[in-house]
Structures are given as C-alpha cells and as structure tokens.
Amino acid sequence: GGTTITYRYRDVANSERDFTYLFTLGTRWGGGSLYLQNDSDATMIDQEYVPVGATTIKVVNARGFNVGEEIAIQCLFNDDWVLHMSDMSQWGWTAEAYSSLFWRRIITAKNGNELTLDAPIVQPIESQYGGGIVKNFRFVGRRHNIGIENMRLMSAPDESITNSEGTRVDENHGQYGIML
C-alpha cells in the first residue's frame, strides 16, 4: 500500500495551493483500478523483429482477437536483453523484473493473423531477446474525466544499498506512479 498526503501552502505570491504527495514503500502498489489480462487467449508474436513505430504485428493465432478490443502487448525479455543493454545486470537488473512490462493497444483492423493497432509500438520486440506475446485486456473500475494538478510522485529507495563508490543504487522500489 501507499500513503497519500495532501497539504495546503501559500506560495511567494501569497496564493493558496494544494499539493498531493503519494509515497510508496516496496515495489508494487495500486490505486482504484484493476487490469486483467486473459492468458487463455494469449498468442506469441510471430515476427523476428517488430520495430519501434510499427502499427501492425503478426501473431501465431489471432482467433481470440477482434477489432475494437483492447489488448496487452508484452515483451518476454530474457537475460541476453539485459546483457546487451550495456550489461545492466551490474546494477541488479534482471529480465524477470521486466516481465510485467506491457503496452495497451486497441485493434483497429484484423487480416488473418495480422493485427493493426491504434498506436505504434514503443519498444522493439525481438525474438533473440525473448520475443513478445499478445493477450486480451480489460480494466475494471477505469476512471474517466479526471484531472490531476500540482502533484509530485515520490518513491523511497533503500539508501543503504550502495556500490563500491558509495553511490546509491537501489533499483528495487516503486516505479509506477500513474499509468495512463
């Protein structure tokens, strides 16, 4: 869980303002919504390489996917991916830590096993680094017509975790404040 603190203060122009701070301890926490991915309809991406900017993807079996539906596209990163990213394992990165990374898209067209997406891919999906998977997706309790102002998101990394030079290197703390 997390802690929400809202406070009011006067700025230099003597105007009152509210600020909201969201604090989290640990690595995962959430708000008022729940997302569900349906693994029973999951299918592998059937391409060696899907570039950044692509708006179509080929999958092994598109049978369970329909135009207008929301899907989750998930990279299945492996240890080679971490190694080839300037060996980020030196900072404690693991492929498993990125197993929950996914992007929501809406299917705008379907041609056989090719799905056209409403927005481009933002991370290359490469079979040599584990490939990717597509799943049906839905949000339960999705919020609509909201606004957020004057908010700071903070995480509490463990400051006792340092490298040999004394630099703080804790990577195991809250990473997502708001998912839009």
Side-chain angles (χ1 to χ4, degrees), residues 51-90:
V52 169
T55 56
T56 60
I57 54 172
K58 294 176 186 159
V59 296
V60 171
N61 185 351
R63 179 177 29 102
F65 303 98
N66 299 301
V67 173
E69 290 181 339
E70 195 166 12
I71 58 173
I73 300 169
Q74 181 178 0
C75 287
L76 303 174
F77 298 117
N78 60 25
D79 291 333
D80 286 342
W81 177 75
V82 175
L83 181 65
H84 289 121
M85 284 186 40
S86 301
D87 191 13
M88 297 309 286
S89 61
Q90 67 183 322

Side-chain angles (χ1 to χ4, degrees), residues 45-47 50 54-59 71 73 113-117 121 125 134:
I45 293 174
D46 194 22
Q47 292 175 250
V50 180
T55 56
T56 60
I57 54 172
K58 294 176 186 159
V59 296
I71 58 173
I73 300 169
N113 286 331
E114 184 177 86
L115 304 176
T116 301
L117 312 172
I121 298 293
I125 301 170
V134 176

